[in-house]
């Protein structure tokens, strides 16, 4: 038995060339022979930390193409070999598999733990090079893809931590420390003008003007040599200022600058997966040296998102003042990708062109140090004749990407330009004439060009890693785009059509991760309706299986983790659901949908303050989104701020078709204020089209409002439905709760747990009502909630 007080016997090194070190730092496992796969497994578990990895995830990561029995046998052999070499206690848990920290530690585990504790200095000291640098495993493409994504994520986390340390040192007037951390950043990415400007400014603040000029000159030469470009205007301005100062200063008064290597180290490019927005540097000592663009007024996100509602957009433009050049702007650049125009071609080509726009939004959102407006708000300006500069001002962005695409047979022409909204000038433009099958390369090329134009230094490996579950099949991609049409979610028949699109996409490319994620979401949507084809629990099991497959195919795909999180939530795996949703938001921090789903999770788990933070984040990312607007109201309701919630929902009154969750939230706000007629009026217009959940909530409000006869009619219809589909017990329980028949309520709630129909999403007031009965805590425990 392992002594918990004894130091760990082994340490896994993953930053740089990997190795497993013994207690005396003797190399125990190298990178030869079978040791590669053992090291790979340990690295995966070390990166996963306390949560570990399920056996199914490990199977799909290392042996996706062999039979289940053979894969399980291979995994068992691998685990046995490691236990035999390191000791029986090396693993803590069977499923999920976790490393026993009392036996083995890792630099990546220490790095991640230090970041979570906010101990940035301890974290960056662990980072000694790219994750698993130069490492590979034969015949494991899924592992290779995971490794590239993890390498980029960790590099981005390290860069963010270094920059925060540098900024903090500047704020404390500790110039020597600031120079130290800026130097480490420039070593990580010597081509970044952002890092160069930071180091030059820190050297100037430290009084080393000559050293600053020497470094600036070397950076200028390096950028010209490697990229064939001039340095960023901010660096050029600093160089001019430095030259003027050094001409006026005697050389002996300045200490000599250290020599900077002219070579470019081979390091992993930074990633957006963990990159947080850079801190505002105004007020710090360096601010007087770095000229910053103007700060735009922060747009009050009050407008709702009916796509194509030109009158609403005009109102936004009228209310939001045009920013003047004299105002300040955030240090981090921001961009909106407007819907590309479909030139000529067949009507069905429009979906392909819209998909190109959406993919560009997703790819740019993951580059790092760039705020990207989400799809809904960007598509609000589709076919709009409003000028680019006015659109940029309404969305509060500094850049706009616009373009057109034309499909002619197997050929594709894409024209694109990047506009600087501050003066309307074209920062960059290009025309791509490619084969249609190269559409994914076009997306990568455009993203890379935009990154270079905005001084977001990345590498080809990063662009390859951040493609959203890409496929080599254009036909599969087009089917995926059709399945992703939001209108399909409005009906059971539409959801089944979407499911078929994803099924066909998977048939064309069985390794298409994004299609599996969509497949999972559509299964969950069908399970929410009147599904006579199969029991709800079986449908949800299919959804979780598809989501797991998506994650195994591309662990860096936020869409896959989000689908798995939603599926786990439906299956009452609450802790795992939260973990996956957080992972999705971490991988794609500018995806508003993921933040909306976190709002719902936090409300469900009685954490209203956290819900409101996520809701406001979603609305900031997607300011014209109806769902983001509604989720702010949802969080306000959970925080008992009903007047503010109703004011927020007032922005959605004109939306057609109406947003069901908005009516649910509004009705509960009125219920909390004991305004039963208003609550009933809010739900009645959608009682037929809103489905069984809306009908159940209406029955609840009718019963509480004294109209019990009408409530019992709804109850009878829901009872008939429950018998017909052998499910739907939760809706029956809601009406019983309204009638204050608690025995029947909890009888049906128990049934709802069994048939998987129980879901308290958007039912805050109903949950509060049920919580007054002591039996509710038993239901919560069955669902996996912690005791209050």
């Amino acid at each position: 038995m392992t002594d918990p007080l004894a130091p760990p016997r082994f340490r896994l090194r993953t930053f740089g060339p990997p190795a497993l070190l013994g207690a005396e730092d003797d190399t125990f496992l190298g990178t030869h022979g079978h040791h590669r796969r053992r090291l790979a497994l340990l690295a995966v578990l070390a990166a996963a930390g306390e949560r570990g990895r399920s056996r199914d995830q490990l199977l799909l990561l290392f042996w996706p193409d062999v039979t289940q029995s053979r894969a399980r046998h291979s995994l068992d052999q691998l685990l046995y070999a490691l236990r035999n070499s390191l000791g029986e206690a090396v693993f803590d848990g069977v499923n999920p598999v976790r490393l026993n920290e009392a036996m083995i530690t890792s630099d990546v585990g220490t790095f991640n733990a230090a970041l979570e504790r906010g101990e940035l200095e301890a974290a960056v000291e662990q980072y000694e090079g790219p994750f698993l640098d130069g490492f590979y495993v034969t015949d494991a493409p899924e592992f290779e893809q995971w490794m590239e994504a993890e390498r980029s994520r960790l590099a981005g986390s390290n860069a963010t931590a270094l920059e925060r340390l540098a900024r903090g040192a500047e704020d404390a007037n500790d110039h020597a420390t600031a120079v130290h951390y800026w130097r480490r950043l420039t070593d990580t990415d010597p081509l970044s003008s952002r890092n160069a400007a930071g180091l030059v400014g820190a050297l100037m603040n430290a009084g080393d003007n000559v050293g600053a000029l020497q470094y600036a000159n070397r950076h200028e030469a390096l950028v010209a040599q490697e990229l064939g470009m001039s340095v960023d205007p901010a660096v050029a301005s600093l160089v001019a200022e430095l030259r003027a100062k050094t001409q006026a200063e005697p050389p002996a008064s300045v200490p000599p600058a250290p020599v900077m290597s002219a070579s470019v180290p081979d390091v992993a490019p930074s990633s957006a997966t963990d990159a947080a927005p850079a801190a505002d540097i105004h007020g710090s000592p360096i601010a007087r040296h770095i000229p910053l663009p103007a700060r735009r007024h922060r747009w009050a996100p009050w407008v709702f998102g009916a796509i194509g509602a030109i009158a609403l957009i005009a109102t936004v433009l009228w209310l939001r003042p045009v920013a003047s050049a004299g105002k300040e702007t955030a240090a981090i650049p921001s961009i909106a990708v407007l819907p590309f125009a479909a030139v000529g071609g067949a009507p069905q080509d429009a979906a392909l062109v819209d998909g190109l726009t959406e993919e560009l939004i997703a790819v740019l959102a993951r580059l790092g140090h760039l705020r990207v407006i989400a799809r809904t708000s960007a598509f609000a300006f589709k076919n709009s004749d409003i000028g680019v500069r006015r659109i940029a001002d309404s969305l509060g962005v500094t850049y706009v990407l616009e373009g057109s695409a034309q499909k002619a047979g197997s050929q594709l022409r894409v024209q694109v330009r990047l506009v600087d909204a501050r003066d309307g000038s074209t920062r960059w433009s290009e025309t791509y004439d490619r084969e249609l099958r190269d559409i994914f390369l076009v997306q990568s090329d455009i993203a890379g060009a935009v990154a270079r134009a905005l001084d977001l230094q990345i590498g080809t490996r990063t662009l390859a890693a951040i493609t959203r579950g890409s496929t080599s099949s254009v036909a599969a991609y087009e089917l995926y785009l059709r399945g992703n049409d939001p209108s399909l979610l409005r009906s059971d028949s539409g959801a089944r059509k979407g499911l078929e699109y994803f099924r066909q996409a998977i048939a064309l490319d069985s390794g298409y991760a994004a299609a599996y994620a969509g497949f999972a979401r559509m299964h969950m949507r069908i399970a929410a309706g009147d599904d006579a084809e199969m029991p709800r629990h079986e449908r949800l099991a299919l959804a979780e299986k598809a989501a797991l497959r998506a994650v195994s195919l591309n662990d860096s795909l936020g869409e896959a983790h989000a689908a798995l999180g939603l599926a786990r939530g439906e299956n009452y795996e609450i802790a795992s659901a939260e973990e996956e949703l957080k992972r999705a938001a971490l991988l794609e921090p500018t995806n508003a949908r993921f933040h909306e789903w976190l709002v719902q999770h936090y409300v469900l788990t009685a954490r209203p303050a956290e819900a409101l933070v996520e809701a406001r984040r979603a609305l900031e990312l997607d300011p014209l989104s109806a769902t983001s607007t509604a989720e702010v109201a949802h969080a306000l309701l959970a925080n008992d701020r009903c007047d503010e919630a109703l004011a927020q929902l007032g922005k959605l009154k004109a939306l057609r078709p109406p947003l069901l969750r908005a009516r649910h939230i509004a009705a509960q706000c009125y219920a909390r204020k004991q305004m039963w007629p208003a609550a009933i009026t809010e739900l009645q217009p959608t009682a037929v089209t809103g489905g069984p959940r809306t009908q159940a909530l209406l029955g609840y409000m009718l019963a509480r409002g004294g109209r019990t006869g009408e409530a019992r009619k709804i109850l009878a219809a829901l009872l008939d439905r429950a018998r017909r589909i052998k499910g739907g017990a939760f809706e029956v329980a809601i009406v019983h709760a309204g009638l204050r028949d608690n025995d029947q309520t909890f009888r049906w709630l128990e049934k709802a747990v069994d048939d998987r129909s129980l879901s308290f999403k958007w039912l805050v007031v109903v949950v509060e009502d049920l919580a007054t009965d002591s039996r509710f805590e038993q239901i919560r425990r069955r669902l996996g909630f912690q005791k209050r």
Side-chain angles (χ1 to χ4, degrees):
M1 184 173 180
T2 305
D3 182 359
L5 299 179
R9 292 177 54 193
F10 302 101
R11 180 165 178 81
L12 179 66
R13 184 181 68 206
T14 64
F15 290 124
L20 183 67
L21 307 177
E24 303 298 328
D25 278 353
D26 295 326
T27 301
F28 189 88
L29 281 180
T31 57
H32 58 279
H34 295 297
H35 289 175
R36 281 188 179 278
R37 199 168 289 265
R38 298 181 193 178
L39 274 174
L41 175 62
L42 292 175
V44 169
L45 298 177
E50 293 181 355
R51 62 192 174 97
R53 283 277 188 158
S54 72
R55 294 177 67 90
D56 286 343
Q57 288 175 325
L58 293 174
L59 296 179
L60 293 170
L61 199 59
F62 289 100
W63 302 279
D65 298 321
V66 303
T67 63
Q68 187 82 346
S69 59
R70 183 178 171 187
R72 290 188 182 280
H73 178 68
S74 297
L75 176 60
D76 289 338
Q77 282 189 317
L78 186 57
L79 294 173
Y80 173 80
L82 284 167
R83 287 193 184 97
N84 193 47
S85 300
L86 307 180
E88 283 294 326
V90 68
F91 299 115
D92 181 13
V94 176
N95 193 16
V97 182
R98 294 184 296 269
L99 292 181
N100 181 358
E101 292 184 357
M103 173 73 85
I104 180 171
T105 60
S106 69
D107 50 6
V108 67
T110 305
F111 175 86
N112 287 329
L115 283 183
E116 290 178 3
R117 295 192 302 269
E119 298 173 3
L120 302 184
E121 292 182 13
V124 298
E125 290 308 310
Q126 294 295 318
Y127 192 91
E128 297 182 355
F131 181 69
L132 298 181
D133 193 25
F135 188 69
Y136 68 93
V137 175
T138 306
D139 299 327
E142 283 74 13
F143 169 78
E144 294 284 334
Q145 190 174 34
W146 169 85
M147 181 176 64
E148 288 289 338
E150 194 70 6
R151 182 177 294 156
S152 294
R153 183 187 71 80
L154 292 166
S157 297
N158 181 61
T160 299
L162 287 171
E163 183 168 349
R164 289 178 177 173
L165 288 167
R167 301 287 188 198
E170 289 166 359
D171 291 340
N173 291 326
D174 186 355
H175 305 309
T177 300
V179 168
H180 167 73
Y181 286 119
W182 281 117
R183 282 199 188 283
R184 290 186 61 175
L185 270 168
T186 56
D187 289 342
T188 300
D189 190 354
L191 291 173
S192 168
S193 293
R194 179 189 187 88
N195 295 344
L199 178 55
V200 170
L203 288 166
M204 291 173 71
N205 289 333
D208 188 1
N209 290 334
V210 170
L213 182 58
Q214 289 176 344
Y215 176 82
N217 287 337
R218 287 183 172 88
H219 173 73
E220 188 175 24
L222 188 63
V223 170
Q225 176 185 344
E226 297 294 328
L227 302 178
M229 297 171 57
S230 301
V231 294
D232 185 87
V235 179
S237 176
L238 286 173
V239 171
E241 182 181 347
L242 279 165
R243 284 173 178 157
K245 283 191 173 186
T246 52
Q247 288 173 2
E249 293 176 352
S253 64
V254 180
V259 178
M260 168 186 161
S261 172
S263 64
V264 182
D266 181 20
V267 297
S270 61
S271 164
T273 52
D274 258 354
D280 188 352
I281 63 175
H282 286 280
S284 69
I286 196 174
R288 66 179 184 271
H289 296 302
I290 301 180
L292 294 173
R295 185 189 299 275
R296 293 179 176 270
H297 290 297
R298 186 178 179 84
W299 176 51
W302 61 270
V303 71
F304 64 90
I307 295 178
I310 301 302
L312 295 173
I313 297 169
T315 307
V316 176
L317 297 178
W318 178 71
L319 280 178
R320 180 179 176 83
V322 178
S324 64
K327 301 294 181 182
E328 297 175 342
T329 188
I332 187 170
S334 52
I335 190 171
V337 183
L338 299 185
F340 280 27
V343 180
Q348 58 266 31
D349 292 344
L352 184 68
V353 176
D354 284 349
L356 173 62
T357 306
E358 293 181 36
E359 290 295 321
L360 280 172
I361 291 172
V363 170
L364 289 171
R366 301 187 66 185
L367 292 182
H369 299 294
L370 179 66
R371 184 172 70 89
V372 183
I373 294 297
R375 177 199 186 279
T376 305
S377 295
F379 272 72
F381 295 95
K382 187 173 183 179
N383 301 322
S384 169
D385 57 0
I386 299 173
V388 168
R389 294 184 66 182
R390 294 291 288 169
I391 292 173
D393 191 71
S394 72
L395 295 174
V397 296
T398 48
Y399 298 97
V400 169
L401 189 70
E402 63 174 359
S404 63
Q406 181 176 11
K407 177 184 173 186
S410 63
Q411 299 296 309
L412 179 71
R413 164 169 284 196
V414 178
Q415 294 179 304
V416 61
R417 75 175 184 130
L418 179 66
V419 180
D420 189 328
R422 291 166 290 193
D423 56 13
S425 63
T426 298
R427 185 75 174 261
W428 161 83
S429 64
E430 187 61 84
T431 298
Y432 299 88
D433 288 303
R434 301 283 180 84
E435 291 286 330
L436 182 60
R437 65 173 179 267
D438 294 330
I439 186 172
F440 312 110
L441 295 177
V442 172
Q443 295 166 4
S444 177
D445 288 347
I446 294 173
V450 170
R452 288 189 292 273
L454 300 183
D455 190 34
L456 306 173
Q457 298 299 335
I458 57 174
T460 55
R461 288 187 300 175
T462 301
L463 287 175
I466 62 180
T467 303
R468 293 199 310 166
S470 60
T471 174
S472 59
S473 169
V474 174
Y477 177 59
E478 290 189 278
L479 287 164
Y480 165 79
L481 293 176
R482 293 181 188 179
N484 254 355
D485 184 348
S487 66
L488 297 177
L489 296 172
R490 296 173 187 164
S491 65
D492 290 353
S493 60
R496 291 182 183 280
K497 185 182 295 185
L499 187 73
E500 184 57 29
Y501 283 138
F502 289 125
R503 192 194 310 275
Q504 292 177 28
I506 292 168
L508 291 173
D509 183 353
S510 60
Y512 193 1
Y516 279 102
F519 196 62
R521 290 196 314 274
M522 284 302 174
H523 271 306
M524 284 183 274
R525 169 60 185 84
I526 293 171
D530 289 347
D531 184 14
E533 186 176 330
M534 66 177 67
R536 179 177 166 85
H537 71 276
E538 292 182 14
R539 180 75 69 181
L540 293 176
L542 290 176
E544 184 168 353
K545 182 178 180 181
L548 276 169
R549 177 63 173 163
V551 170
S552 70
L553 288 169
N554 189 348
D555 191 52
S556 65
L557 181 65
E559 190 177 352
H561 286 280
L564 182 55
L566 294 174
R568 290 269 166 85
E570 294 290 343
N571 282 311
Y572 311 146
E573 299 174 58
I574 305 302
S576 179
E578 179 173 336
E579 179 183 325
E580 295 298 334
L581 291 174
K582 283 183 174 179
R583 175 69 171 154
L586 186 66
L587 288 167
E588 297 181 32
T590 60
N591 190 315
R593 283 189 311 162
F594 299 165
H595 294 282
E596 290 177 21
W597 292 335
L598 277 171
V599 173
Q600 296 161 19
H601 180 84
Y602 288 143
V603 171
L604 189 67
T605 52
R607 291 140 74 187
E610 293 174 73
L612 189 55
V613 170
E614 291 294 337
R616 296 201 187 284
R617 176 61 175 152
L619 193 58
E620 179 185 356
L621 292 168
D622 207 353
L624 299 181
S625 166
T627 55
S628 292
T629 300
E631 288 304 333
V632 172
H634 186 200
L636 288 168
L637 167 64
N639 281 275
D640 199 17
R641 295 161 62 176
C642 279
D643 289 338
E644 294 173 70
L646 289 170
Q648 186 79 6
L649 293 171
K651 304 160 193 175
L652 302 176
K653 287 292 185 183
L655 190 64
R656 294 295 180 271
L659 191 66
L660 285 177
R661 79 183 74 170
R663 291 190 175 274
H664 289 187
I665 296 165
Q668 291 179 87
C669 283
Y670 290 127
R672 181 170 275 169
K673 296 160 75 72
Q674 301 294 302
M675 299 169 62
W676 302 110
I680 293 166
T681 300
E682 191 68 39
L683 293 171
Q684 280 179 325
T686 55
V688 176
T689 59
R693 186 62 50 85
T694 302
Q695 293 158 17
L697 188 58
L698 176 59
Y700 175 92
M701 299 299 177
L702 286 166
R704 288 303 170 90
R707 296 161 63 173
T708 56
E710 295 170 78
R712 291 192 180 280
K713 287 183 180 179
I714 291 176
L715 177 60
L718 292 174
L719 284 167
D720 181 66
R721 171 180 176 265
R723 286 190 290 269
R724 187 176 70 256
I725 68 170
K726 296 181 175 59
F730 183 56
E731 287 75 21
V732 174
I734 291 174
V735 183
H736 277 301
L739 292 166
R740 298 190 186 280
D741 187 347
N742 281 11
D743 288 341
Q744 286 295 328
T745 297
F746 283 94
R747 174 172 167 256
W748 283 93
L749 282 177
E750 292 288 351
K751 289 184 177 182
V753 175
D754 295 331
D755 70 18
R756 291 292 194 276
S757 66
L758 195 151
S759 174
F760 290 120
K761 194 179 294 182
W762 305 307
L763 294 176
V764 174
V765 172
V766 176
V767 170
E768 291 173 349
D769 186 13
L770 295 171
T772 60
D773 191 301
S774 60
R775 288 171 287 185
F776 186 62
E777 196 58 47
Q778 298 175 358
I779 297 293
R780 283 176 53 83
R781 284 198 294 270
R782 284 197 65 189
L783 296 177
F785 289 100
Q786 294 181 352
K787 187 173 182 179
R788 296 192 185 192

